[in-house]
DNA sequence: ATAAATATGATACAGGTGTATCAAATAAAT
DNA sequence: ATTTATTTGATACACCTGTATCATATTTAT
């Protein structure tokens, strides 16, 4: 038998290169040639792993969502007061918090791209939507929400707020301070929670 | 003297064609050739009015924002209870409400495009941000907001919510019901307002 | 050493892009 | 009828795009 390179890990390398390009130049810069160059391989080699650009991008999007879902899971198991945990979790899903990879920004780029690229956006596959749903049902379980809360509506409201904050964080680069974004999230969480019978958040 | 076509109104025609294209095919479809075809003129004629694609798009963006600002102004002067007026105003700035031109969607497309097209997004020129600011200071004037409200923070929160709702409305096409979006807005407005001493919204 | 997987790099196709130029036709004003 | 603004339509340039092919090399296992 011959070379036997780990096919899957090589695909991951390429997807990470695509990811990097997306953050630097957006979807418009994500040409197969640019990605190949970033990955340090040739067009032919890239084609060996991904037949189609669409296939590569879909793979990369899955990778990004897997990354975000992992963050969410980790934080869910952390040993923290519920309110603080929830706040940290949501804040971690917004851009400009971790500068390393910035999965949140990549996710947003994919989401924005979805409009004129075929089918409708499936929020069921959106790691942020899943996280928001988890957060909300968690708050329900712990009986932390106000009485007479419309869970579905409040889920959509928080989800909308998350997307809006993500978008505006992404668009204003360095100027947009993460502290203010965090403050907004905190305010929102307080607003949908029961009256404080002690310190919160 | 010769032909003397109204230069400005012709530019408006072209910008409206660009607008239409943007809604149909997004920014990727907004090539000068496509726009010229939509406007029913030739490439050369288009070039007679706009030297550059960037110039044409900037002109179109201004047109869209002017349209939105006009809606806002009209509704501000309407004879309605403040809460209802505010709700109508904000809902009118989200996609899928008026199917005619859908300035809100066009605005969002421009906003999304701004990231990898040069400079940072200037929210000061965003008609929606201006509307949100107006709404908030209006609520302050009428003393309708909760005590100890952080005006700047609540403005950004509502602005974020508006963008998130707009984005999600745009992305789910027909499926996303405007009624739910309106319900979310209503809930949010109630949440930042004083306790009802009567009917609200 | 041999065989198979992997990668190169070059070439090609067909199509799109923004910008540019320009002689010729068309239209409306004087 | 003549002047001048407007528009046509065609051509061109230089560049980018995704996809495709393929002989040649490189690597790694047996």
């Amino acid at each position: 038998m011959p070379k036997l390179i780990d096919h899957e890990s090589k695909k991951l390398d390429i997807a990470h290169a695509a990811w990097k390009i997306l953050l630097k130049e957006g979807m418009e810069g994500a040409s197969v040639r640019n990605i190949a160059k970033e990955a340090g391989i040739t067009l032919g080699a890239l084609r060996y792993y991904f037949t189609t650009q669409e296939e590569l991008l879909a793979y990369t999007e899955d990778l990004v969502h897997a990354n975000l879902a992992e963050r969410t899971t980790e934080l869910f198991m952390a040993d923290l007061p519920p309110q603080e945990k929830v706040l940290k979790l949501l804040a971690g899903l917004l851009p400009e918090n971790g500068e390393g990879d910035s999965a949140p920004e990549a996710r947003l780029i994919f989401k924005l791209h979805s409009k004129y690229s075929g089918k409708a956006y499936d929020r069921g596959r959106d790691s942020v939507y899943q996280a928001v749903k988890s957060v909300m049902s968690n708050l329900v379980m712990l009986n932390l929400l106000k009485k007479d809360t419309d869970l579905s509506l409040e889920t959509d409201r928080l989800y909308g707020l998350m997307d809006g904050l993500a978008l505006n964080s992404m668009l204003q680069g360095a100027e947009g301070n993460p502290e203010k974004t965090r403050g907004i999230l905190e305010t929102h969480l307080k607003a949908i929670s029961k009256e404080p019978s002690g310190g919160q958040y």
Side-chain angles (χ1 to χ4, degrees), chain A residues 68 71-72 75-76 83-95 97 104 127-136 139 158-159 161-163 165-166 181-182 184-186 188-189 192 201:
Chain A
L68 289 173
R71 292 189 201 188
T72 303
L75 258 173
F76 246 111
Q83 291 92 345
E84 189 184 336
K85 185 189 293 188
V86 161
L87 179 56
K88 263 195 161 154
L89 196 156
L90 294 180
L93 296 179
L94 297 181
N97 293 67
S127 48
V128 171
Y129 184 65
Q130 295 304 328
V132 168
K133 278 212 310 187
S134 297
V135 161
M136 290 302 291
L139 294 178
L158 179 52
Y159 181 51
L161 181 62
M162 286 289 292
D163 271 332
L165 292 179
T181 302
R182 195 189 179 88
I184 293 175
L185 273 181
E186 192 174 336
H188 189 85
L189 290 171
I192 65 174
Y201 296 98

mmCIF file of all heavy atoms in Angstrom, chain A residues 68 71-72 75-76 83-95 97 104 127-136 139 158-159 161-163 165-166 181-182 184-186 188-189 192 201:
data_model
loop_
_atom_site.group_PDB
_atom_site.id
_atom_site.type_symbol
_atom_site.label_atom_id
_atom_site.label_comp_id
_atom_site.label_asym_id
_atom_site.label_seq_id
_atom_site.Cartn_x
_atom_site.Cartn_y
_atom_site.Cartn_z
ATOM 1 N N LEU A 68 -18.407 25.936 17.350
ATOM 2 C CA LEU A 68 -19.269 26.729 18.234
ATOM 3 C C LEU A 68 -20.066 25.831 19.177
ATOM 4 O O LEU A 68 -20.235 26.150 20.367
ATOM 5 C CB LEU A 68 -20.221 27.579 17.387
ATOM 6 C CG LEU A 68 -19.562 28.746 16.649
ATOM 7 C CD1 LEU A 68 -20.548 29.404 15.704
ATOM 8 C CD2 LEU A 68 -19.019 29.759 17.637
ATOM 9 N N ARG A 71 -17.889 24.804 22.051
ATOM 10 C CA ARG A 71 -17.777 25.862 23.065
ATOM 11 C C ARG A 71 -19.000 25.856 23.971
ATOM 12 O O ARG A 71 -18.896 25.954 25.193
ATOM 13 C CB ARG A 71 -17.718 27.238 22.392
ATOM 14 C CG ARG A 71 -16.475 27.503 21.610
ATOM 15 C CD ARG A 71 -16.475 28.965 21.215
ATOM 16 N NE ARG A 71 -15.588 29.186 20.074
ATOM 17 C CZ ARG A 71 -15.270 30.391 19.615
ATOM 18 N NH1 ARG A 71 -15.787 31.462 20.185
ATOM 19 N NH2 ARG A 71 -14.469 30.523 18.594
ATOM 20 N N THR A 72 -20.153 25.793 23.332
ATOM 21 C CA THR A 72 -21.400 25.838 24.084
ATOM 22 C C THR A 72 -21.474 24.691 25.079
ATOM 23 O O THR A 72 -21.782 24.891 26.266
ATOM 24 C CB THR A 72 -22.596 25.752 23.117
ATOM 25 O OG1 THR A 72 -22.503 26.823 22.174
ATOM 26 C CG2 THR A 72 -23.907 25.867 23.882
ATOM 27 N N LEU A 75 -19.094 25.159 28.069
ATOM 28 C CA LEU A 75 -19.538 26.155 29.032
ATOM 29 C C LEU A 75 -20.767 25.691 29.798
ATOM 30 O O LEU A 75 -20.969 26.065 30.962
ATOM 31 C CB LEU A 75 -19.822 27.481 28.326
ATOM 32 C CG LEU A 75 -18.719 28.504 28.503
ATOM 33 C CD1 LEU A 75 -18.955 29.722 27.651
ATOM 34 C CD2 LEU A 75 -18.619 28.907 29.970
ATOM 35 N N PHE A 76 -21.554 24.857 29.144
ATOM 36 C CA PHE A 76 -22.748 24.361 29.826
ATOM 37 C C PHE A 76 -22.368 23.478 31.008
ATOM 38 O O PHE A 76 -23.087 23.409 32.013
ATOM 39 C CB PHE A 76 -23.622 23.562 28.853
ATOM 40 C CG PHE A 76 -24.941 24.208 28.587
ATOM 41 C CD1 PHE A 76 -25.229 24.739 27.345
ATOM 42 C CD2 PHE A 76 -25.886 24.308 29.604
ATOM 43 C CE1 PHE A 76 -26.442 25.369 27.111
ATOM 44 C CE2 PHE A 76 -27.097 24.924 29.368
ATOM 45 C CZ PHE A 76 -27.369 25.450 28.115
ATOM 46 N N GLN A 83 -26.658 32.271 35.956
ATOM 47 C CA GLN A 83 -26.719 33.531 35.224
ATOM 48 C C GLN A 83 -25.381 33.886 34.593
ATOM 49 O O GLN A 83 -25.313 34.334 33.452
ATOM 50 C CB GLN A 83 -27.158 34.673 36.154
ATOM 51 C CG GLN A 83 -28.591 34.594 36.601
ATOM 52 C CD GLN A 83 -28.735 33.850 37.920
ATOM 53 O OE1 GLN A 83 -27.812 33.169 38.359
ATOM 54 N NE2 GLN A 83 -29.896 33.972 38.551
ATOM 55 N N GLU A 84 -24.321 33.685 35.355
ATOM 56 C CA GLU A 84 -23.000 34.008 34.822
ATOM 57 C C GLU A 84 -22.648 33.065 33.675
ATOM 58 O O GLU A 84 -22.066 33.474 32.667
ATOM 59 C CB GLU A 84 -21.958 33.885 35.942
ATOM 60 C CG GLU A 84 -20.603 34.420 35.531
ATOM 61 C CD GLU A 84 -19.567 34.186 36.619
ATOM 62 O OE1 GLU A 84 -19.970 34.048 37.802
ATOM 63 O OE2 GLU A 84 -18.369 34.120 36.284
ATOM 64 N N LYS A 85 -23.026 31.826 33.860
ATOM 65 C CA LYS A 85 -22.745 30.833 32.825
ATOM 66 C C LYS A 85 -23.437 31.200 31.515
ATOM 67 O O LYS A 85 -22.830 31.188 30.442
ATOM 68 C CB LYS A 85 -23.227 29.461 33.307
ATOM 69 C CG LYS A 85 -22.881 28.329 32.369
ATOM 70 C CD LYS A 85 -23.554 27.030 32.776
ATOM 71 C CE LYS A 85 -23.018 26.501 34.097
ATOM 72 N NZ LYS A 85 -23.552 25.144 34.382
ATOM 73 N N VAL A 86 -24.682 31.544 31.636
ATOM 74 C CA VAL A 86 -25.473 31.901 30.452
ATOM 75 C C VAL A 86 -24.894 33.131 29.760
ATOM 76 O O VAL A 86 -24.750 33.164 28.528
ATOM 77 C CB VAL A 86 -26.940 32.152 30.868
ATOM 78 C CG1 VAL A 86 -27.664 32.951 29.813
ATOM 79 C CG2 VAL A 86 -27.639 30.828 31.122
ATOM 80 N N LEU A 87 -24.540 34.094 30.535
ATOM 81 C CA LEU A 87 -23.974 35.319 29.967
ATOM 82 C C LEU A 87 -22.673 35.033 29.234
ATOM 83 O O LEU A 87 -22.457 35.483 28.101
ATOM 84 C CB LEU A 87 -23.740 36.342 31.082
ATOM 85 C CG LEU A 87 -23.133 37.676 30.661
ATOM 86 C CD1 LEU A 87 -23.976 38.334 29.582
ATOM 87 C CD2 LEU A 87 -22.985 38.604 31.857
ATOM 88 N N LYS A 88 -21.806 34.293 29.867
ATOM 89 C CA LYS A 88 -20.524 33.942 29.244
ATOM 90 C C LYS A 88 -20.745 33.166 27.960
ATOM 91 O O LYS A 88 -20.071 33.396 26.950
ATOM 92 C CB LYS A 88 -19.706 33.079 30.211
ATOM 93 C CG LYS A 88 -18.676 33.854 31.010
ATOM 94 C CD LYS A 88 -17.670 32.905 31.660
ATOM 95 C CE LYS A 88 -16.409 33.622 32.068
ATOM 96 N NZ LYS A 88 -15.712 32.979 33.171
ATOM 97 N N LEU A 89 -21.671 32.258 28.031
ATOM 98 C CA LEU A 89 -21.952 31.413 26.878
ATOM 99 C C LEU A 89 -22.396 32.244 25.680
ATOM 100 O O LEU A 89 -21.859 32.116 24.571
ATOM 101 C CB LEU A 89 -23.043 30.417 27.277
ATOM 102 C CG LEU A 89 -23.277 29.200 26.426
ATOM 103 C CD1 LEU A 89 -23.930 28.118 27.273
ATOM 104 C CD2 LEU A 89 -24.147 29.518 25.227
ATOM 105 N N LEU A 90 -23.351 33.106 25.918
ATOM 106 C CA LEU A 90 -23.870 33.911 24.808
ATOM 107 C C LEU A 90 -22.811 34.883 24.293
ATOM 108 O O LEU A 90 -22.649 35.052 23.085
ATOM 109 C CB LEU A 90 -25.124 34.665 25.251
ATOM 110 C CG LEU A 90 -26.334 33.782 25.578
ATOM 111 C CD1 LEU A 90 -27.518 34.640 26.001
ATOM 112 C CD2 LEU A 90 -26.709 32.903 24.397
ATOM 113 N N ALA A 91 -22.100 35.497 25.213
ATOM 114 C CA ALA A 91 -21.063 36.449 24.805
ATOM 115 C C ALA A 91 -19.994 35.745 23.978
ATOM 116 O O ALA A 91 -19.414 36.336 23.051
ATOM 117 C CB ALA A 91 -20.447 37.108 26.029
ATOM 118 N N GLY A 92 -19.750 34.502 24.286
ATOM 119 C CA GLY A 92 -18.743 33.753 23.553
ATOM 120 C C GLY A 92 -19.166 33.399 22.135
ATOM 121 O O GLY A 92 -18.341 32.980 21.323
ATOM 122 N N LEU A 93 -20.429 33.589 21.841
ATOM 123 C CA LEU A 93 -20.916 33.285 20.494
ATOM 124 C C LEU A 93 -20.954 34.518 19.603
ATOM 125 O O LEU A 93 -21.444 34.464 18.477
ATOM 126 C CB LEU A 93 -22.309 32.654 20.574
ATOM 127 C CG LEU A 93 -22.360 31.285 21.277
ATOM 128 C CD1 LEU A 93 -23.777 30.762 21.335
ATOM 129 C CD2 LEU A 93 -21.458 30.285 20.574
ATOM 130 N N LEU A 94 -20.433 35.623 20.141
ATOM 131 C CA LEU A 94 -20.404 36.849 19.343
ATOM 132 C C LEU A 94 -18.983 37.166 18.893
ATOM 133 O O LEU A 94 -18.024 36.814 19.580
ATOM 134 C CB LEU A 94 -20.967 38.018 20.160
ATOM 135 C CG LEU A 94 -22.434 37.866 20.561
ATOM 136 C CD1 LEU A 94 -22.905 39.079 21.341
ATOM 137 C CD2 LEU A 94 -23.302 37.668 19.328
ATOM 138 N N PRO A 95 -18.824 37.804 17.766
ATOM 139 C CA PRO A 95 -17.489 38.132 17.256
ATOM 140 C C PRO A 95 -16.712 39.028 18.201
ATOM 141 O O PRO A 95 -17.274 39.613 19.127
ATOM 142 C CB PRO A 95 -17.781 38.884 15.949
ATOM 143 C CG PRO A 95 -19.127 38.464 15.549
ATOM 144 C CD PRO A 95 -19.875 38.239 16.836
ATOM 145 N N ASN A 97 -14.594 38.456 20.453
ATOM 146 C CA ASN A 97 -14.313 38.045 21.821
ATOM 147 C C ASN A 97 -13.054 37.190 21.850
ATOM 148 O O ASN A 97 -12.121 37.507 22.560
ATOM 149 C CB ASN A 97 -15.505 37.291 22.391
ATOM 150 C CG ASN A 97 -16.689 38.216 22.561
ATOM 151 O OD1 ASN A 97 -17.238 38.695 21.581
ATOM 152 N ND2 ASN A 97 -17.045 38.517 23.788
ATOM 153 N N PRO A 104 -17.478 32.819 15.521
ATOM 154 C CA PRO A 104 -18.739 33.559 15.410
ATOM 155 C C PRO A 104 -18.822 34.386 14.137
ATOM 156 O O PRO A 104 -19.869 34.443 13.492
ATOM 157 C CB PRO A 104 -18.724 34.455 16.652
ATOM 158 C CG PRO A 104 -17.909 33.722 17.635
ATOM 159 C CD PRO A 104 -16.830 33.064 16.825
ATOM 160 N N SER A 127 -25.755 26.719 15.098
ATOM 161 C CA SER A 127 -25.296 26.436 16.462
ATOM 162 C C SER A 127 -25.717 27.540 17.422
ATOM 163 O O SER A 127 -25.941 27.276 18.614
ATOM 164 C CB SER A 127 -23.780 26.271 16.478
ATOM 165 O OG SER A 127 -23.154 27.331 15.779
ATOM 166 N N VAL A 128 -25.829 28.747 16.921
ATOM 167 C CA VAL A 128 -26.234 29.841 17.808
ATOM 168 C C VAL A 128 -27.713 29.704 18.183
ATOM 169 O O VAL A 128 -28.091 29.917 19.342
ATOM 170 C CB VAL A 128 -25.970 31.207 17.142
ATOM 171 C CG1 VAL A 128 -26.596 32.330 17.952
ATOM 172 C CG2 VAL A 128 -24.473 31.436 16.993
ATOM 173 N N TYR A 129 -28.511 29.320 17.209
ATOM 174 C CA TYR A 129 -29.934 29.120 17.527
ATOM 175 C C TYR A 129 -30.099 27.986 18.529
ATOM 176 O O TYR A 129 -30.881 28.097 19.487
ATOM 177 C CB TYR A 129 -30.724 28.810 16.248
ATOM 178 C CG TYR A 129 -32.209 28.684 16.479
ATOM 179 C CD1 TYR A 129 -32.959 29.782 16.894
ATOM 180 C CD2 TYR A 129 -32.867 27.473 16.292
ATOM 181 C CE1 TYR A 129 -34.325 29.676 17.114
ATOM 182 C CE2 TYR A 129 -34.233 27.357 16.508
ATOM 183 C CZ TYR A 129 -34.948 28.456 16.925
ATOM 184 O OH TYR A 129 -36.299 28.346 17.147
ATOM 185 N N GLN A 130 -29.355 26.936 18.332
ATOM 186 C CA GLN A 130 -29.410 25.814 19.277
ATOM 187 C C GLN A 130 -28.979 26.257 20.670
ATOM 188 O O GLN A 130 -29.581 25.869 21.678
ATOM 189 C CB GLN A 130 -28.516 24.671 18.790
ATOM 190 C CG GLN A 130 -28.979 24.028 17.487
ATOM 191 C CD GLN A 130 -30.412 23.517 17.553
ATOM 192 O OE1 GLN A 130 -30.874 23.090 18.610
ATOM 193 N NE2 GLN A 130 -31.116 23.579 16.437
ATOM 194 N N ALA A 131 -27.951 27.074 20.711
ATOM 195 C CA ALA A 131 -27.461 27.551 22.008
ATOM 196 C C ALA A 131 -28.513 28.407 22.698
ATOM 197 O O ALA A 131 -28.764 28.268 23.897
ATOM 198 C CB ALA A 131 -26.171 28.347 21.815
ATOM 199 N N VAL A 132 -29.144 29.284 21.921
ATOM 200 C CA VAL A 132 -30.175 30.138 22.501
ATOM 201 C C VAL A 132 -31.336 29.294 23.024
ATOM 202 O O VAL A 132 -31.859 29.544 24.120
ATOM 203 C CB VAL A 132 -30.677 31.164 21.452
ATOM 204 C CG1 VAL A 132 -31.936 31.862 21.938
ATOM 205 C CG2 VAL A 132 -29.586 32.179 21.166
ATOM 206 N N LYS A 133 -31.715 28.283 22.256
ATOM 207 C CA LYS A 133 -32.786 27.405 22.725
ATOM 208 C C LYS A 133 -32.392 26.712 24.018
ATOM 209 O O LYS A 133 -33.188 26.631 24.971
ATOM 210 C CB LYS A 133 -33.117 26.358 21.644
ATOM 211 C CG LYS A 133 -34.039 26.880 20.585
ATOM 212 C CD LYS A 133 -34.958 25.791 20.005
ATOM 213 C CE LYS A 133 -34.200 24.545 19.585
ATOM 214 N NZ LYS A 133 -35.075 23.587 18.870
ATOM 215 N N SER A 134 -31.169 26.224 24.072
ATOM 216 C CA SER A 134 -30.693 25.555 25.285
ATOM 217 C C SER A 134 -30.706 26.501 26.470
ATOM 218 O O SER A 134 -31.149 26.144 27.569
ATOM 219 C CB SER A 134 -29.278 25.022 25.068
ATOM 220 O OG SER A 134 -29.271 24.047 24.063
ATOM 221 N N VAL A 135 -30.206 27.693 26.235
ATOM 222 C CA VAL A 135 -30.166 28.690 27.306
ATOM 223 C C VAL A 135 -31.571 28.950 27.841
ATOM 224 O O VAL A 135 -31.802 28.956 29.054
ATOM 225 C CB VAL A 135 -29.540 30.004 26.791
ATOM 226 C CG1 VAL A 135 -29.906 31.167 27.688
ATOM 227 C CG2 VAL A 135 -28.033 29.853 26.695
ATOM 228 N N MET A 136 -32.484 29.144 26.924
ATOM 229 C CA MET A 136 -33.840 29.481 27.358
ATOM 230 C C MET A 136 -34.491 28.329 28.131
ATOM 231 O O MET A 136 -35.116 28.547 29.179
ATOM 232 C CB MET A 136 -34.692 29.856 26.134
ATOM 233 C CG MET A 136 -34.314 31.171 25.484
ATOM 234 S SD MET A 136 -34.382 32.611 26.586
ATOM 235 C CE MET A 136 -36.143 32.744 26.843
ATOM 236 N N LEU A 139 -33.098 28.199 31.547
ATOM 237 C CA LEU A 139 -33.669 29.205 32.437
ATOM 238 C C LEU A 139 -35.073 28.801 32.887
ATOM 239 O O LEU A 139 -35.476 29.083 34.028
ATOM 240 C CB LEU A 139 -33.691 30.570 31.744
ATOM 241 C CG LEU A 139 -32.300 31.174 31.455
ATOM 242 C CD1 LEU A 139 -32.432 32.501 30.716
ATOM 243 C CD2 LEU A 139 -31.514 31.364 32.751
ATOM 244 N N LEU A 158 -34.361 36.735 21.721
ATOM 245 C CA LEU A 158 -32.949 36.641 22.091
ATOM 246 C C LEU A 158 -32.099 36.252 20.886
ATOM 247 O O LEU A 158 -30.990 36.768 20.693
ATOM 248 C CB LEU A 158 -32.771 35.619 23.227
ATOM 249 C CG LEU A 158 -31.338 35.397 23.718
ATOM 250 C CD1 LEU A 158 -30.649 36.704 24.060
ATOM 251 C CD2 LEU A 158 -31.327 34.451 24.920
ATOM 252 N N TYR A 159 -32.652 35.363 20.068
ATOM 253 C CA TYR A 159 -31.928 34.947 18.860
ATOM 254 C C TYR A 159 -31.728 36.143 17.922
ATOM 255 O O TYR A 159 -30.638 36.349 17.382
ATOM 256 C CB TYR A 159 -32.710 33.850 18.155
ATOM 257 C CG TYR A 159 -32.073 33.298 16.907
ATOM 258 C CD1 TYR A 159 -30.747 32.862 16.913
ATOM 259 C CD2 TYR A 159 -32.799 33.191 15.725
ATOM 260 C CE1 TYR A 159 -30.171 32.336 15.766
ATOM 261 C CE2 TYR A 159 -32.222 32.663 14.580
ATOM 262 C CZ TYR A 159 -30.912 32.244 14.609
ATOM 263 O OH TYR A 159 -30.344 31.722 13.465
ATOM 264 N N LEU A 161 -31.679 39.279 18.792
ATOM 265 C CA LEU A 161 -30.717 40.186 19.421
ATOM 266 C C LEU A 161 -29.293 39.692 19.203
ATOM 267 O O LEU A 161 -28.391 40.480 18.877
ATOM 268 C CB LEU A 161 -31.013 40.298 20.917
ATOM 269 C CG LEU A 161 -30.090 41.228 21.697
ATOM 270 C CD1 LEU A 161 -30.181 42.662 21.194
ATOM 271 C CD2 LEU A 161 -30.400 41.173 23.197
ATOM 272 N N MET A 162 -29.095 38.387 19.349
ATOM 273 C CA MET A 162 -27.757 37.822 19.151
ATOM 274 C C MET A 162 -27.255 38.103 17.737
ATOM 275 O O MET A 162 -26.103 38.511 17.547
ATOM 276 C CB MET A 162 -27.801 36.306 19.390
ATOM 277 C CG MET A 162 -27.917 35.895 20.846
ATOM 278 S SD MET A 162 -26.404 36.191 21.787
ATOM 279 C CE MET A 162 -25.302 34.976 21.039
ATOM 280 N N ASP A 163 -28.099 37.890 16.758
ATOM 281 C CA ASP A 163 -27.682 38.128 15.376
ATOM 282 C C ASP A 163 -27.404 39.597 15.118
ATOM 283 O O ASP A 163 -26.443 39.949 14.435
ATOM 284 C CB ASP A 163 -28.747 37.606 14.407
ATOM 285 C CG ASP A 163 -28.515 36.145 14.044
ATOM 286 O OD1 ASP A 163 -27.347 35.711 14.071
ATOM 287 O OD2 ASP A 163 -29.486 35.437 13.739
ATOM 288 N N LEU A 165 -26.503 41.883 17.321
ATOM 289 C CA LEU A 165 -25.264 42.252 18.006
ATOM 290 C C LEU A 165 -24.058 41.702 17.269
ATOM 291 O O LEU A 165 -23.034 42.386 17.121
ATOM 292 C CB LEU A 165 -25.280 41.724 19.445
ATOM 293 C CG LEU A 165 -26.289 42.372 20.393
ATOM 294 C CD1 LEU A 165 -26.221 41.736 21.779
ATOM 295 C CD2 LEU A 165 -26.062 43.875 20.497
ATOM 296 N N ALA A 166 -24.182 40.475 16.796
ATOM 297 C CA ALA A 166 -23.077 39.871 16.042
ATOM 298 C C ALA A 166 -22.785 40.695 14.793
ATOM 299 O O ALA A 166 -21.631 41.017 14.499
ATOM 300 C CB ALA A 166 -23.428 38.439 15.664
ATOM 301 N N THR A 181 -21.333 45.376 24.297
ATOM 302 C CA THR A 181 -22.140 44.243 23.828
ATOM 303 C C THR A 181 -22.500 43.328 24.983
ATOM 304 O O THR A 181 -23.643 42.879 25.123
ATOM 305 C CB THR A 181 -21.355 43.462 22.761
ATOM 306 O OG1 THR A 181 -21.023 44.343 21.686
ATOM 307 C CG2 THR A 181 -22.168 42.309 22.229
ATOM 308 N N ARG A 182 -21.521 43.069 25.803
ATOM 309 C CA ARG A 182 -21.760 42.225 26.967
ATOM 310 C C ARG A 182 -22.783 42.869 27.904
ATOM 311 O O ARG A 182 -23.662 42.206 28.454
ATOM 312 C CB ARG A 182 -20.431 41.999 27.701
ATOM 313 C CG ARG A 182 -20.460 40.880 28.712
ATOM 314 C CD ARG A 182 -19.158 40.898 29.523
ATOM 315 N NE ARG A 182 -19.122 39.865 30.534
ATOM 316 C CZ ARG A 182 -18.676 38.639 30.313
ATOM 317 N NH1 ARG A 182 -18.253 38.302 29.117
ATOM 318 N NH2 ARG A 182 -18.672 37.742 31.286
ATOM 319 N N ILE A 184 -25.166 44.805 27.050
ATOM 320 C CA ILE A 184 -26.489 44.678 26.443
ATOM 321 C C ILE A 184 -27.064 43.296 26.711
ATOM 322 O O ILE A 184 -28.240 43.147 27.093
ATOM 323 C CB ILE A 184 -26.406 44.945 24.923
ATOM 324 C CG1 ILE A 184 -26.049 46.413 24.676
ATOM 325 C CG2 ILE A 184 -27.722 44.594 24.244
ATOM 326 C CD1 ILE A 184 -25.816 46.748 23.216
ATOM 327 N N LEU A 185 -26.244 42.297 26.544
ATOM 328 C CA LEU A 185 -26.684 40.932 26.817
ATOM 329 C C LEU A 185 -27.125 40.802 28.279
ATOM 330 O O LEU A 185 -28.160 40.201 28.586
ATOM 331 C CB LEU A 185 -25.554 39.947 26.530
ATOM 332 C CG LEU A 185 -25.435 39.439 25.097
ATOM 333 C CD1 LEU A 185 -24.286 38.450 24.984
ATOM 334 C CD2 LEU A 185 -26.734 38.792 24.661
ATOM 335 N N GLU A 186 -26.326 41.377 29.151
ATOM 336 C CA GLU A 186 -26.635 41.297 30.578
ATOM 337 C C GLU A 186 -27.973 41.963 30.876
ATOM 338 O O GLU A 186 -28.813 41.408 31.591
ATOM 339 C CB GLU A 186 -25.502 41.964 31.373
ATOM 340 C CG GLU A 186 -25.578 41.699 32.857
ATOM 341 C CD GLU A 186 -24.352 42.250 33.566
ATOM 342 O OE1 GLU A 186 -23.285 42.407 32.907
ATOM 343 O OE2 GLU A 186 -24.444 42.540 34.784
ATOM 344 N N HIS A 188 -30.399 42.413 28.852
ATOM 345 C CA HIS A 188 -31.482 41.619 28.273
ATOM 346 C C HIS A 188 -31.830 40.434 29.163
ATOM 347 O O HIS A 188 -33.006 40.152 29.414
ATOM 348 C CB HIS A 188 -31.100 41.136 26.877
ATOM 349 C CG HIS A 188 -32.232 40.502 26.131
ATOM 350 N ND1 HIS A 188 -33.139 41.218 25.397
ATOM 351 C CD2 HIS A 188 -32.624 39.208 26.031
ATOM 352 C CE1 HIS A 188 -34.034 40.407 24.868
ATOM 353 N NE2 HIS A 188 -33.745 39.164 25.241
ATOM 354 N N LEU A 189 -30.809 39.748 29.630
ATOM 355 C CA LEU A 189 -31.044 38.582 30.479
ATOM 356 C C LEU A 189 -31.749 38.986 31.771
ATOM 357 O O LEU A 189 -32.655 38.295 32.243
ATOM 358 C CB LEU A 189 -29.722 37.880 30.785
ATOM 359 C CG LEU A 189 -29.112 37.167 29.570
ATOM 360 C CD1 LEU A 189 -27.703 36.684 29.859
ATOM 361 C CD2 LEU A 189 -30.006 36.007 29.142
ATOM 362 N N ILE A 192 -35.517 39.618 31.143
ATOM 363 C CA ILE A 192 -36.429 38.488 30.966
ATOM 364 C C ILE A 192 -36.464 37.590 32.198
ATOM 365 O O ILE A 192 -37.207 36.614 32.228
ATOM 366 C CB ILE A 192 -36.053 37.635 29.723
ATOM 367 C CG1 ILE A 192 -34.698 36.971 29.922
ATOM 368 C CG2 ILE A 192 -36.076 38.465 28.462
ATOM 369 C CD1 ILE A 192 -34.323 36.009 28.808
ATOM 370 N N TYR A 201 -26.231 38.049 37.872
ATOM 371 C CA TYR A 201 -25.316 38.280 36.758
ATOM 372 C C TYR A 201 -24.040 39.017 37.127
ATOM 373 O O TYR A 201 -23.886 39.567 38.172
ATOM 374 C CB TYR A 201 -26.025 39.034 35.610
ATOM 375 C CG TYR A 201 -27.142 38.216 35.028
ATOM 376 C CD1 TYR A 201 -28.452 38.419 35.426
ATOM 377 C CD2 TYR A 201 -26.859 37.187 34.132
ATOM 378 C CE1 TYR A 201 -29.465 37.636 34.904
ATOM 379 C CE2 TYR A 201 -27.855 36.415 33.619
ATOM 380 C CZ TYR A 201 -29.167 36.643 34.005
ATOM 381 O OH TYR A 201 -30.149 35.883 33.499
#
